[in-house]
Amino acid sequence: MAEAKNKILVVDDSTSIVQYMRDILKNEYHVTTASSGEEALDVLLNYSPDVILLDVSMGGVNGYEVCRTIREKGVHGFVKIIMVSSGTSLKERLKGYESGADDYIGKPFKEEELLAKVRVFIRLKTVEDQLRDLNDKLNDQIKLRTSQLVDAEKMAAIGRYAAGIVHNLNNPLQVIMGTSQLLSMKNPSDKNIMRQRKAAAEMKKIIASILQTGAMESRTENVEIDLNEVLKSQIELLRSDHFFKHHIQMELDLQPLPPYLGIYAHFSQSFSNLMKNAGDAMYNRSNRILKISSAVESGDIVVRISDTGEGVSEESMKKIFDPFFTTKPLTANDDRPTGTGLGLASCKEMIESYGGELSADSVIDQGTTFTVKLPLPDESS
């Protein structure tokens, strides 16, 4: 597909000059012409040039007035205006600049001079357009990030209240467990009492996991961490979710790991994000297997989290760790997975802060594996 040409508007009441400039520019640019100031303003209602070559002295609305009108309306962004005139005195040039012109070219001019000026301002216009687009994208990202931070603060407040509620559940749960135990002693063959005891024990385990994780994640200092225990804790928390508990098969292969010095929340949040991402990838699949393994390999702690999801396309794999990139909707009216595009980006940032690596391999219709590599400290250091 041919690259679109930059647009030039030539405005002059001399037919021969208009034709001369058109012949010079037409091989490189898309050229539109107008023979008066009034016609130029009409053309600009439906045409957005990159550069306007504007004759100063025209009957009716002259070049200065056209220039001022364009700048006052401000609808053509960074359009560049080059005034064209046989008068090149300082006074005339200053009047042109005051009207909003970017440059001046005197008649008669050489072909090379006209092309050189147009090329310079085309490059400048292109850069300014790119900067404007980048600024717009950054503003959109700032608005989104601000909204996410507000939501995160709300969720943090909810989390603090929830932690208090969970903590207060311990006392009534102890009563339920004690009563269930007494009932089972009097009625050892009653299956309903046994199911009640089992459910209460499972609830106690979930509460303990929530409270332990909350306590550990509130710490901001480096501590020696058992990464296998972090993985197990996050798995227990995920199993409190109905979808994970009843629809996803877990396969664990956790080999002994040495303690790792770091901030607990960095690893709990990273592993949680990777596991949740894997679960989301399997939402529409009939075969849902989440495989989690850990081992020491060639001087690194290696954690792999694999799913049997739909896989990620080659194009998406190039952007999978980019902030704000996601293949999931931001919101949904049902229980479909949603995302902000920040989970994997934050995982990568946290892992790399320890000199580690986070990578992904995916096969369409088979699944994706995320691999975390953390270098073990040099024993001699």
Side-chain angles (χ1 to χ4, degrees):
M1 184 176 178
E3 187 176 346
K5 291 183 177 181
N6 291 99
K7 298 176 182 179
I8 309 291
L9 173 61
V10 175
V11 185
D12 201 300
D13 57 3
S14 169
T15 305
S16 60
I17 292 177
V18 167
Q19 188 60 48
Y20 178 57
M21 287 195 281
R22 177 193 283 275
D23 290 342
I24 293 172
L25 299 167
K26 66 182 181 182
N27 290 332
E28 293 186 34
Y29 307 106
H30 179 278
V31 181
T32 295
T33 65
S35 59
S36 67
E38 292 88 348
E39 185 182 354
L41 293 174
D42 286 341
V43 168
L44 288 170
L45 294 174
N46 300 299
Y47 185 69
S48 296
D50 298 293
V51 172
I52 300 174
L53 292 166
L54 182 59
D55 184 30
V56 171
S57 302
M58 295 182 290
V61 180
N62 64 35
Y64 299 128
E65 292 171 332
V66 172
C67 190
R68 278 194 294 270
T69 301
I70 292 170
R71 295 307 187 202
E72 286 169 3
K73 288 184 177 180
V75 296
H76 293 285
F78 298 111
V79 62
K80 300 305 169 188
I81 301 176
I82 302 175
M83 305 294 279
V84 183
S85 176
S86 55
T88 57
S89 68
L90 176 60
K91 183 178 179 180
E92 289 174 310
R93 292 201 305 272
L94 289 175
K95 188 175 180 180
Y97 297 139
E98 288 169 2
S99 301
D102 295 284
D103 203 358
Y104 222 97
I105 186 170
K107 298 178 183 177
F109 49 80
K110 293 185 179 296
E111 178 178 337
E112 296 81 1
E113 181 186 10
L114 180 65
L115 279 172
K117 281 187 179 289
V118 169
R119 286 167 183 161
V120 165
F121 283 103
I122 286 290
R123 287 198 297 270
L124 182 58
K125 168 75 161 46
T126 300
V127 170
E128 289 177 341
D129 285 345
Q130 291 171 345
L131 288 173
R132 180 180 58 187
D133 291 342
L134 178 59
N135 186 61
D136 289 343
K137 289 177 182 177
L138 287 173
N139 283 334
D140 290 342
Q141 290 185 355
I142 288 169
K143 290 177 184 177
L144 177 60
R145 183 58 174 153
T146 300
S147 174
Q148 290 168 342
L149 289 173
V150 171
D151 290 343
E153 181 57 33
K154 289 179 183 177
M155 293 305 296
I158 292 170
R160 289 191 290 272
Y161 287 120
I165 293 169
V166 169
H167 180 77
N168 291 329
L169 287 174
N170 264 326
N171 289 334
L173 182 60
Q174 286 298 120
V175 174
I176 294 171
M177 293 182 73
T179 304
S180 298
Q181 186 174 6
L182 290 173
L183 288 172
S184 67
M185 291 171 66
K186 293 180 180 180
N187 304 279
S189 60
D190 192 320
K191 294 182 179 179
N192 289 325
I193 294 174
M194 295 305 296
R195 278 199 294 269
Q196 180 176 308
R197 287 190 67 187
K198 183 178 179 181
E202 186 174 348
M203 187 175 177
K204 182 176 178 63
K205 190 175 180 182
I206 292 172
I207 289 174
S209 180
I210 292 172
L211 292 175
Q212 181 184 13
T213 300
M216 291 298 293
E217 288 191 345
S218 66
R219 301 176 66 175
T220 58
E221 73 274 15
N222 285 323
V223 295
E224 287 194 338
I225 302 168
D226 184 335
L227 294 177
N228 280 338
E229 288 303 316
V230 177
L231 288 166
K232 292 176 185 177
S233 176
Q234 294 307 309
I235 291 168
E236 284 302 319
L237 288 175
L238 285 173
R239 280 178 171 157
S240 64
D241 179 88
H242 183 272
F243 179 75
F244 270 86
K245 182 175 181 178
H246 297 287
H247 299 287
I248 292 181
Q249 177 185 340
M250 297 276 189
E251 293 186 3
L252 300 183
D253 180 16
L254 305 182
Q255 301 298 316
L257 301 176
Y260 200 82
L261 189 66
I263 296 175
Y264 185 92
H266 289 173
F267 298 102
S268 62
Q269 291 172 18
S270 294
F271 292 154
S272 175
N273 277 331
L274 293 173
M275 291 179 194
K276 185 179 183 305
N277 192 74
D280 289 348
M282 297 185 285
Y283 179 78
N284 292 317
R285 307 288 282 179
S286 56
N287 180 38
R288 305 184 183 102
I289 302 174
L290 178 58
K291 297 180 180 180
I292 301 173
S293 67
S294 66
V296 175
E297 299 177 5
S298 304
D300 294 323
I301 290 177
V302 179
V303 175
R304 293 185 177 90
I305 297 175
S306 303
D307 62 63
T308 54
E310 298 176 349
V312 182
S313 70
E314 185 177 348
E315 186 62 31
S316 293
M317 282 293 288
K318 297 175 183 177
K319 301 177 285 187
I320 197 168
F321 295 115
D322 290 352
F324 304 103
F325 174 77
T326 179
T327 57
K328 294 178 282 191
L330 286 172
T331 58
N333 295 323
D334 50 25
D335 62 350
R336 284 178 300 159
T338 59
T340 62
L342 289 173
L344 291 178
S346 64
C347 287
K348 188 174 180 65
E349 184 177 347
M350 284 188 280
I351 296 301
E352 288 181 347
S353 71
Y354 292 88
E357 296 178 9
L358 175 59
S359 59
D361 295 294
S362 189
V363 178
I364 293 295
D365 208 37
Q366 293 186 29
T368 304
T369 297
F370 286 92
T371 301
V372 175
K373 286 187 178 181
L374 294 164
L376 288 172
D378 187 348
E379 294 182 359
S380 62
S381 61

